[in-house]
Amino acid sequence: MPHAPALLVLDMQNAALAIAHRPMETIATIALLRERARAANVPVVTVQHDGPGLEPGTEAWRIVPELAPGEGEKTVRKGSADAFLDSDLGPFLSGLGITEMVVTGFATEFCVDTTARQALSRGYDLVLVADGHTTSARPDVDGFVASDRAVLHHNAIYRHINFLARSIRVLPAADVDFTAPQAPDHA
């Protein structure tokens, strides 16, 4: 099957921006990566979370303006941390023949992690964009690690996850190449 990536932008909504760690840096990174995906004719899929405090149509629910989907780009609505669960994401990707998910967004240890693992379980190769995901801004309290450490921790985990017959790479946005598959990156 030929290499066919899709860029996934998870939950970059106004409510997330209000509580995110390094929100402007993450938005800028994803916006540049999205422009490169578009230039390479790679589908960009924006995922939008519905739920308490994120009711459709509210300002909190809206995608941040810098990452609003372009004309003709797919938006997927979800109600859990898993972007595949009870959504049309899987059928949409299958219909396009997608083989690799390039994952970005909010929140690292919840929706980003859950969706990335589901992508692997569903047969997709994975690129976790090391500087393209973030979590909530918080100190090292209440059982959660500090924000910087959470992002670094998940990047390290994905560098060491081993999934048979899957390529898993953790790359900074600048190193993401939408044109050619790479050999698996397992340490």
Side-chain angles (χ1 to χ4, degrees), residues 11-157:
D11 302 345
M12 293 300 291
Q13 294 162 255
N14 288 323
L17 176 65
I19 63 169
H21 169 67
R22 298 175 33 99
M24 300 318 292
E25 294 89 340
T26 305
I27 289 168
T29 296
I30 296 170
L32 289 172
L33 188 61
R34 184 178 69 166
E35 291 307 313
R36 291 181 34 228
R38 288 173 174 165
N41 293 315
V42 167
V44 176
V45 180
T46 301
V47 178
Q48 194 167 23
H49 193 89
D50 294 343
L54 292 172
E55 288 79 16
T58 63
E59 193 59 32
W61 174 80
R62 287 188 177 83
I63 301 296
V64 297
E66 299 89 340
L67 298 175
E71 188 169 329
E73 289 180 344
K74 177 71 172 168
T75 299
V76 171
R77 307 250 311 262
K78 67 178 183 65
S80 72
D82 177 358
F84 289 94
L85 183 64
D86 298 328
S87 80
D88 63 348
L89 179 60
F92 175 76
L93 297 172
S94 293
L96 295 177
I98 298 301
T99 62
E100 179 179 72
M101 298 293 305
V102 180
V103 177
T104 66
F106 182 86
T108 297
E109 61 276 80
F110 297 107
C111 301
V112 171
D113 181 60
T114 302
T115 299
R117 289 176 192 260
Q118 281 299 313
L120 290 167
S121 291
R122 291 167 183 261
Y124 297 98
D125 291 330
L126 177 70
V127 174
L128 179 62
V129 182
D131 52 348
H133 64 96
T134 192
T135 190
S136 57
R138 60 175 181 262
D140 193 353
V141 296
D142 295 332
F144 283 102
V145 298
S147 305
D148 277 337
R149 289 179 47 215
V151 170
L152 290 171
H153 173 81
H154 277 75
N155 288 342
I157 286 173

